[in-house]
């Protein structure tokens, strides 16, 4: 087990280094001068030169990268050029928001997608199967931004049931926090539910044809026990792996959804940073996102290892 995790970590570390190089170099290729953005209306040459020296913008790019990596390894992601706040502090403020949104979206996806996928597989070829597939295809096809706007018009503007935008920490007011997050979580969760439904259906169809399922039915076991205990347990492997990867994607921040519902998460943070050429924030957020995605990949691999006895036997 430990040797398996060590091998996965050996792959993750070079991946993070490559991501850091790509992020740093590509950001430097963006047009414009961050010193001009930081100076605002003060375009005095001495002020611009002072800013460039302070943030090492005059140094060769390789030296800038080395300074940045050295500071990052020491836990210093730099200071925002726009707000003058430490990037680590900004990430600490925004990350809980994104985690809450991603968790609620995944719960909605599980509640809708997995039962629907199981039912669709069990009722293959029936009207229920066709309806479930049509709903899943619709969930994949409808853009998140359109669904979000329609929900705001219907639920918030016309019915007045939920707030249209904003965010409240669950540690301040749990009820209001759930009210402000339920619509964006539903928007994200429905798309994820469609993906989970199709993968659950595919995995269940393969398992339901297995010999041990036919044997369980031949023994006269209750059909519900056969489906849940024998079929679904063995169909969990691809579902668990996919769920971990989907959660990792959500940690990157749902840019459009966060913008529509004015949620101060990772997506909104990185969009604002890109528009203002806030190098330190963009680099810090992308690196944090990459680390989170790699961590979720590692968790998916470990869960797959624990759930698959053949992998454990091969070590």
């Amino acid at each position: 087990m430990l040797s398996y995790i060590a091998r996965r970590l050996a792959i993750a570390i070079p991946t993070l280094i490559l991501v850091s190089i790509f992020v740093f170099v590509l950001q430097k290729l963006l047009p414009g001068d961050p010193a001009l953005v930081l100076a605002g209306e003060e375009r005095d040459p001495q002020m611009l030169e002072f800013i460039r020296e302070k943030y090492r913008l005059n140094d060769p790019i390789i030296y800038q990268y080395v300074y940045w990596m050295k500071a990052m390894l020491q836990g210093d992601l730099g200071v925002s050029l726009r707000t003058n706040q430490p990037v680590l502090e900004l990430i600490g403020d925004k990350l809980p928001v994104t985690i809450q949104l991603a968790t609620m979206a995944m719960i909605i996806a599980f509640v809708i997608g997995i039962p629907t996928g199981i039912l669709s597989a069990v009722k293959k070829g029936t009207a229920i199967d066709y309806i479930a597939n049509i709903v899943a295809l619709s969930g994949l096809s409808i853009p998140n931004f359109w669904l979000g706007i329609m929900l705001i018009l219907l639920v918030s503007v016309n019915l007045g049931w939920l707030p249209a935008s904003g965010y409240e920490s669950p540690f301040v007011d749990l009820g209001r926090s759930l009210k402000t997050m339920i619509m964006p979580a539903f928007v994200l969760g429905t798309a994820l539910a469609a993906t989970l439904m199709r993968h659950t259906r595919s995995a269940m169809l393969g398992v339901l044809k297995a010999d041990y399922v036919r044997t369980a039915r031949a023994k006269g076991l209750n059909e519900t026990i056969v489906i849940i205990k024998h079929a679904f347990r063995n169909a969990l492997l691809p579902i668990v792996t996919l769920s971990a990867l989907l959660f990792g994607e959500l940690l990157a921040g749902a840019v459009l959804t966060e913008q529509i519902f004015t949620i101060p998460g990772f997506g909104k943070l990185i969009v604002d940073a890109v528009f203002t050429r806030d190098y330190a924030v963009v680099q810090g957020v992308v690196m944090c996102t990459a680390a989170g995605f790699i961590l979720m990949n590692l968790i998916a691999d470990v869960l797959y290892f624990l759930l698959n006895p053949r992998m454990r036997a091969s070590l």
Side-chain angles (χ1 to χ4, degrees), residues 156-306:
S156 299
V157 177
N158 293 334
L159 299 176
W161 289 350
L162 295 171
S165 62
Y167 173 75
E168 187 72 56
S169 171
F171 300 106
V172 175
D173 188 338
L174 180 59
R176 179 163 177 78
S177 177
L178 294 176
K179 286 181 180 180
T180 56
M181 293 293 270
I182 189 65
M183 276 203 298
F186 181 80
V187 169
L188 295 173
T190 49
L192 298 179
T195 304
L196 275 174
M197 176 267 167
R198 294 178 70 87
H199 280 77
T200 302
R201 179 182 183 275
S202 177
M204 284 292 293
L205 286 175
V207 170
L208 287 172
K209 297 175 183 177
D211 292 338
Y212 56 84
V213 174
R214 284 196 293 267
T215 302
R217 283 172 171 161
K219 288 180 178 179
L221 291 177
N222 183 279
E223 185 66 13
T224 303
I225 294 176
V226 172
I227 292 170
I228 301 301
K229 186 176 180 180
H230 295 276
F232 181 62
R233 277 181 61 184
N234 289 280
L236 267 176
L237 292 176
I239 298 170
V240 168
T241 304
L242 175 68
S243 300
L245 296 179
L246 290 175
F247 190 79
E249 289 181 6
L250 287 176
L251 289 180
V255 176
L256 288 176
T257 304
E258 289 182 6
Q259 289 287 341
I260 290 169
F261 290 97
T262 324
I263 297 173
F266 260 20
K268 193 172 188 306
L269 177 63
I270 197 168
V271 167
D272 293 342
V274 168
F275 279 122
T276 57
R277 294 187 59 78
D278 199 340
Y279 283 152
V281 174
V282 173
Q283 292 163 353
V285 171
V286 172
M287 287 304 299
C288 185
T289 299
F293 193 80
I294 289 172
L295 176 63
M296 294 311 300
N297 270 273
L298 179 62
I299 292 173
D301 290 336
V302 171
L303 289 174
Y304 194 89
F305 177 86
L306 294 174

Side-chain angles (χ1 to χ4, degrees), residues 100-110 184-186 188-190 192 250:
Q100 182 186 353
L101 178 60
T103 303
M104 291 179 65
M106 288 303 299
I107 291 172
I108 291 171
F110 286 144
F186 181 80
L188 295 173
T190 49
L192 298 179
L250 287 176

Side-chain angles (χ1 to χ4, degrees), residues 128-162:
I128 293 175
D129 184 27
Y130 291 125
I131 292 171
N133 277 285
I134 290 171
V135 172
L137 185 60
S138 301
L140 291 171
S141 304
I142 296 174
N144 285 348
F145 70 87
W146 183 86
L147 181 59
I149 292 171
M150 292 301 103
L151 282 176
I152 290 173
L153 288 174
L154 176 63
V155 178
S156 299
V157 177
N158 293 334
L159 299 176
W161 289 350
L162 295 171

Side-chain angles (χ1 to χ4, degrees), residues 23-24 27-28 30-38 55 57 68 77-88 90 268-286:
V23 169
F24 193 87
Q27 172 125 317
K28 294 298 182 182
L30 290 174
D33 186 352
L36 293 175
V37 176
L38 189 61
Y55 294 103
L57 298 176
W68 175 63
L77 297 179
V79 177
S80 169
L81 301 178
R82 182 167 58 94
T83 64
N84 208 33
Q85 284 181 272
V87 174
L88 204 58
L90 283 172
K268 193 172 188 306
L269 177 63
I270 197 168
V271 167
D272 293 342
V274 168
F275 279 122
T276 57
R277 294 187 59 78
D278 199 340
Y279 283 152
V281 174
V282 173
Q283 292 163 353
V285 171
V286 172

